Amino acid sequence: STITTLNLSINNIGDAGATAFADSLRTNSALAHLGLDSNDIGPDGARAFAEMLSDNSTITTLNYNIGGAGARALAGMLSDNSTITTLNLSINNIGDAGATAFAEDLCTNSTLSELSLDNNNVGDASATAFEDALHTNSALTYLSLDEDDNYLSIGCILINKIFELILINRGADSREEARWRKIKLRIEWMVNAEDEDEAGPRRNWVPPRTRASTGALPHPSGIDGAREGRGRFGVDCAPGQGAVPVRRRLWCR
C-alpha cells in the first residue's frame, strides 16, 4: 500500500498478465506512476486497463506501449478518468484513427495536461481532430507528435493553429478565459480566411502571432532536460509551403 512508482517495462507480460495486473490495481490506492512499455499488450489487456482507469483515482502518469488496436481501446477511458495528467503512448503505430480517438476524448477530459504520441504515423486527419478538441479542452498544455525521421505529414497552417490553442491553455487563468480567447482567435482565423479569398491564395499564411519565429517553449515539468531542447511547435512556412508537409520536429511544450 506504499508503492507509488512502478516500472514493469520490457517484461513481456502480454494480455493475460496485463489483465491480472489491472484487476489487482482496482483496490490499490497508492500507485501514482506506472510504466508498461514493451510488454506485448494487445486490445484485451488495454480494455482491462481502460476499465480499471475509468474508476482509478490515484494513477497520474502512465507510460504504455500497446499497439494500435490496444491504444484505440484505451482511448475511451479519458472520458471517465479524472486523475491522469501525463500519458505517453509513443511508438504504438496508432495512426490517424487511434490519434483521432484520443483527440475526441479530450473534449470531455479536464485533467490530462501532457500527451505524447511520438512515432505514431499521424497526419492531417488526426491533427484536425486535435485542433477541434482544443477549442473545447482547456487542460492540455503539452502535445508531442514527434517522428524519428524528422518528417511530419501535417500542414504548416494546421500545426500553427494547434500551437495557438495550446498557448491559450498555457496562459489562461480560467476555463472561461480560455473559452473567450479561443472564440476571439477563431474570429481572427475567419477574417484572415476571408481576406485570403479576396486577395487570392497566400499559401505561406500562418495564424497571427506565430508568423514570426516563436522559439522553444519550456516544458512545464522540465522532464528529460526539456526533451534535449529539440524543436519548436510554432513554425514559419516558407513561401509556397503553406499546405505541404513540414520537415521539422514537432514539440509543443
Side-chain angles (χ1 to χ4, degrees):
S1 61
T2 57
I3 294 177
T4 59
T5 301
L6 183 61
N7 187 352
L8 293 177
S9 301
I10 319 177
N11 274 291
N12 196 33
I13 65 176
D15 278 338
T19 299
F21 189 45
D23 289 340
S24 70
L25 289 176
R26 291 181 184 277
T27 57
N28 183 285
S29 59
L31 190 66
H33 309 283
L34 176 62
L36 289 171
D37 293 337
S38 304
N39 270 301
D40 195 26
I41 300 172
D44 291 340
R47 277 190 288 270
F49 262 93
E51 292 174 2
M52 180 272 294
L53 289 169
S54 294
D55 300 322
N56 184 276
S57 60
T58 57
I59 294 177
T60 61
T61 303
L62 179 63
N63 295 314
Y64 210 169
N65 186 263
I66 51 179
R72 289 190 290 274
L74 187 65
M77 68 87 187
L78 287 179
S79 298
D80 301 315
N81 183 276
S82 60
T83 55
I84 291 182
T85 59
T86 303
L87 182 60
N88 185 349
L89 291 173
S90 301
I91 319 177
N92 273 290
N93 195 33
I94 66 176
D96 277 329
T100 297
F102 280 100
E104 290 173 348
D105 273 352
L106 287 177
C107 292
T108 54
N109 181 279
S110 60
T111 54
L112 187 70
S113 61
E114 300 180 29
L115 177 62
S116 297
L117 293 174
D118 301 336
N119 299 304
N120 273 300
N121 300 316
V122 299
D124 275 352
S126 51
T128 299
F130 275 111
E131 183 210 331
D132 290 342
L134 284 166
H135 282 286
T136 302
N137 179 284
S138 60
L140 195 70
T141 57
Y142 171 81
L143 176 63
S144 175
L145 299 171
D146 193 17
E147 297 289 342
D148 277 344
D149 60 4
N150 204 26
Y151 183 83
L152 289 170
S153 295
I154 301 175
C156 189
I157 292 174
L158 185 54
I159 288 176
N160 279 283
K161 284 185 174 182
I162 296 174
F163 175 63
E164 290 257 19
L165 294 166
I166 289 279
L167 280 183
I168 289 176
N169 283 359
R170 293 283 297 276
D173 293 328
S174 66
R175 293 181 63 182
E176 187 66 12
E177 179 188 345
R179 185 173 76 89
W180 282 110
R181 287 176 62 181
K182 289 173 184 178
I183 291 174
K184 180 180 178 181
L185 182 62
R186 179 170 282 184
I187 293 172
E188 289 180 6
W189 292 347
M190 292 172 63
V191 170
N192 275 282
E194 290 175 358
D195 290 345
E196 180 174 331
D197 289 339
E198 294 177 359
R202 297 196 306 274
R203 293 172 60 85
N204 64 329
W205 178 84
V206 294
R209 297 187 300 281
T210 58
R211 192 168 290 117
S213 175
T214 60
L217 297 171
H219 187 282
S221 60
I223 60 175
D224 293 345
R227 293 294 197 277
E228 301 174 0
R230 288 184 289 182
R232 302 180 308 213
F233 197 136
V235 297
D236 296 325
C237 295
Q241 290 187 336
V244 300
V246 180
R247 289 184 178 272
R248 191 187 299 274
R249 291 191 180 277
L250 174 60
W251 290 97
C252 182
R253 56 180 191 267

